[in-house]
Amino acid sequence: MITFALDCAGKTAGVAILKDDTLLYESYLATGFTHSETLLVLINSTFTATNLTPADVTCYAVTSGPGSFTGLRIGLALIKGLAFAHNTPCVAVSTLEGLAMSCVIPQGTVLCALDARRNEVYYAAFEKNQESYSRLCKDSAGPALEVLSAFKNCKKPLMLIGDGAKICYNMLENKCDTLLYPADYRSGRAGSVARIGFAEFMAGRAICAAQLQPCYLRLSQAERERKEKLAASQAN
Amino acid sequence: MITFALDCAGKTAGVAILKDDTLLYESYLATGFTHSETLLVLINSTFTATNLTPADVTCYAVTSGPGSFTGLRIGLALIKGLAFAHNTPCVAVSTLEGLAMSCVIPQGTVLCALDARRNEVYYAAFEKNQESYSRLCKDSAGPALEVLSAFKNCKKPLMLIGDGAKICYNMLENKCDTLLYPADYRSGRAGSVARIGFAEFMAGRAICAAQLQPCYLRLSQAERERKEKLAASQAN
């Protein structure tokens, strides 16, 4: 069984292939070029290096949010296209859960944070114990300071991961028992997305390409401004 | 400044690119195909994805051993060829130091072990403290049981990493305070080789392609058998 995973929910991009439960291939790109320029190159390299084609893929896993709205749309559209061609099952993976799975600390709390701009983060927290992790809260969005305060009394060490990790870390007055995940691995790896996709597929929770949906958690800037305008015009 | 790193000292292969001290690209391949089949594809993908060419590379870093004799020869020959074309400086990186650098545990002892067959391992140990690590012994080869016994009283947790990690772990009678690095990351990542190469280059310790040498640590099977035969004929 082949699981193909794609992550482009943030500024970096990653692709991975699992054969059954073995990681065959993983790539990570952080050049700053747009996903629309780089993703097809990355995906093509993945198939070439592993000597596989889309017809060999049993399941596609893709980070479906939270994250950059444009990134999520590009990633989901791309996977929908690949999966549609062979009617391949898909799994939508929480970007934050993918990050937690990438974090290899033996134990403690993993706070996954994505930069949601304006000092806010998308976040979720997990308690890690060796190879298992349990979710402490659902995927949410909120001001970084409030998020940190909510996990003040969590099991230590508190490990911060994700492209919003540094925002949180820099806000902390007391950095004792809090660690910033090493920069090279802070945006996670697509192999973790593949692992979650494989587990969900095996648990019978895969869906068809048409059912894949982004999970934005917030309104887009355009929707927010439209709502504010409407509210203002109703107030007048 | 661009650092290009290659690791094919074991069964897996990896390529990475650092721009100054930022990881731009990293790939990892564990399909089991031979390096001679896969490496040029991986290297080509790396240049395509990052929009770079060999002329842009400031320094090549390559794992020079210990490891599979054939893997080391392929990797070094390939890097020598690439570097020779533009007279690019090179850094020979210890495979075991690359593994230690890949290990992101906050603190404890990292025992890097590569399968040297016949229940022996190539090994080195490092004490980890946040982002820094200090070497506890030089790269060596020896029976896995003796190696484990030598690090019985090290700073805990003892983290085992490398393709010889499981051999060691399975031999341990008391597994308390000893951890096996997660399978997906157990063979390390080329990004770490790039980081070491970058640091060595900046410290003025790069060499020219012709000076790159493998570090086998042991005689090859052919050399060992020849020596045994010679000794036997001299004894007669």
Side-chain angles (χ1 to χ4, degrees):
Chain A
M1 135 146 216
I2 298 292
T3 307
F4 181 107
L6 172 68
D7 170 39
C8 59
K11 282 178 188 153
T12 65
V15 181
I17 297 256
L18 277 188
K19 184 178 180 181
D20 300 325
D21 68 346
T22 302
L23 184 67
L24 280 197
Y25 178 85
E26 189 183 70
S27 65
Y28 166 84
L29 186 72
T31 46
F33 302 143
T34 63
H35 293 321
S36 49
E37 285 172 291
T38 58
L39 281 184
L40 287 172
V41 175
L42 276 194
I43 289 173
N44 197 38
S45 305
T46 306
F47 284 123
T48 309
T50 53
N51 212 10
L52 295 168
T53 73
D56 299 314
V57 176
T58 319
C59 170
Y60 284 100
V62 57
T63 44
S64 59
S68 138
F69 286 28
T70 308
L72 296 177
R73 284 166 194 158
I74 293 174
L76 285 162
L78 221 160
I79 290 298
K80 275 173 186 270
L82 283 167
F84 186 71
H86 298 278
N87 203 18
T88 311
C90 299
V91 173
V93 175
S94 152
T95 316
L96 297 160
E97 205 168 323
L99 281 170
M101 189 84 177
S102 291
C103 177
V104 302
I105 56 159
Q107 53 194 2
T109 305
V110 186
L111 178 56
C112 310
L114 297 169
D115 185 2
R117 300 195 189 167
R118 303 181 299 160
N119 280 329
E120 296 207 347
V121 288
Y122 300 115
Y123 69 95
F126 301 82
E127 197 171 302
K128 201 103 201 234
N129 202 352
Q130 310 300 350
E131 309 244 328
S132 79
Y133 61 101
S134 53
R135 193 181 260 275
L136 299 177
C137 66
K138 62 179 185 158
D139 290 3
S140 316
L145 260 179
E146 281 177 29
V147 175
L148 285 167
S149 150
F151 293 97
K152 217 165 45 186
N153 299 317
C154 68
K155 193 176 159 192
K156 298 294 186 312
L158 174 64
M159 180 61 88
L160 303 175
I161 188 170
D163 69 11
K166 207 168 180 183
I167 300 168
C168 293
Y169 190 78
N170 289 343
M171 281 183 174
L172 275 175
E173 275 182 36
N174 178 8
K175 290 180 167 57
C176 173
D177 275 336
T178 305
L179 299 165
L180 196 52
Y181 209 65
D184 287 356
Y185 298 97
R186 201 173 295 151
S187 295
R189 283 295 186 273
S192 308
V193 178
R195 289 238 162 258
I196 298 170
F198 174 63
E200 288 292 294
F201 177 87
M202 295 306 277
R205 286 194 287 265
I207 54 178
C208 74
Q211 291 173 297
L212 274 182
Q213 291 286 341
C215 173
Y216 295 134
L217 285 189
R218 283 205 315 202
L219 293 176
S220 70
Q221 190 179 343
E223 287 170 305
R224 206 171 55 239
E225 286 174 1
R226 182 172 172 270
K227 216 177 157 186
E228 285 166 3
K229 235 185 233 172
L230 268 172
S233 73
Q234 279 167 350
N236 291 338
Chain B
M1 134 146 218
I2 297 292
T3 307
F4 180 108
L6 172 68
D7 170 39
C8 59
K11 282 177 187 153
T12 65
V15 181
I17 296 258
L18 276 188
K19 183 176 181 182
D20 301 324
D21 68 346
T22 301
L23 183 65
L24 279 198
Y25 178 85
E26 189 182 71
S27 66
Y28 166 84
L29 185 73
T31 47
F33 303 142
T34 63
H35 292 321
S36 49
E37 287 172 289
T38 58
L39 280 184
L40 287 172
V41 175
L42 276 193
I43 289 173
N44 197 38
S45 304
T46 305
F47 283 124
T48 310
T50 53
N51 213 9
L52 295 167
T53 73
D56 300 313
V57 176
T58 319
C59 170
Y60 285 100
V62 58
T63 44
S64 60
S68 138
F69 286 28
T70 309
L72 296 177
R73 285 165 192 159
I74 293 174
L76 285 161
L78 220 160
I79 290 298
K80 276 173 186 272
L82 283 166
F84 185 73
H86 298 278
N87 204 17
T88 311
C90 300
V91 174
V93 175
S94 153
T95 316
L96 296 160
E97 205 168 324
L99 281 170
M101 190 82 177
S102 291
C103 178
V104 301
I105 58 160
Q107 53 193 2
T109 306
V110 186
L111 178 57
C112 309
L114 297 170
D115 185 3
R117 299 192 193 173
R118 303 180 298 161
N119 279 329
E120 295 206 349
V121 287
Y122 300 116
Y123 69 95
F126 300 83
E127 196 170 302
K128 201 105 202 230
N129 203 350
Q130 309 301 348
E131 309 244 326
S132 79
Y133 61 103
S134 53
R135 194 181 258 276
L136 298 177
C137 67
K138 62 179 186 162
D139 291 0
S140 315
L145 260 178
E146 282 178 28
V147 174
L148 284 167
S149 149
F151 293 97
K152 217 166 43 186
N153 299 318
C154 68
K155 192 175 159 194
K156 298 293 185 314
L158 173 64
M159 180 62 87
L160 302 174
I161 189 170
D163 69 11
K166 208 169 180 182
I167 300 168
C168 295
Y169 190 78
N170 290 343
M171 280 183 174
L172 274 175
E173 274 181 42
N174 177 7
K175 292 179 165 58
C176 174
D177 275 336
T178 306
L179 299 165
L180 195 53
Y181 209 64
D184 288 355
Y185 299 98
R186 202 172 295 152
S187 296
R189 284 293 186 274
S192 307
V193 179
R195 290 238 162 257
I196 297 170
F198 174 64
E200 289 292 294
F201 177 88
M202 295 306 279
R205 287 193 288 265
I207 55 180
C208 74
Q211 292 173 295
L212 272 182
Q213 289 287 340
C215 173
Y216 296 134
L217 286 189
R218 282 206 316 203
L219 294 176
S220 70
Q221 190 180 341
E223 287 169 306
R224 206 172 55 238
E225 286 173 1
R226 180 171 173 273
K227 218 177 157 187
E228 284 165 5
K229 233 183 234 171
L230 270 171
S233 73
Q234 278 166 352
N236 290 338

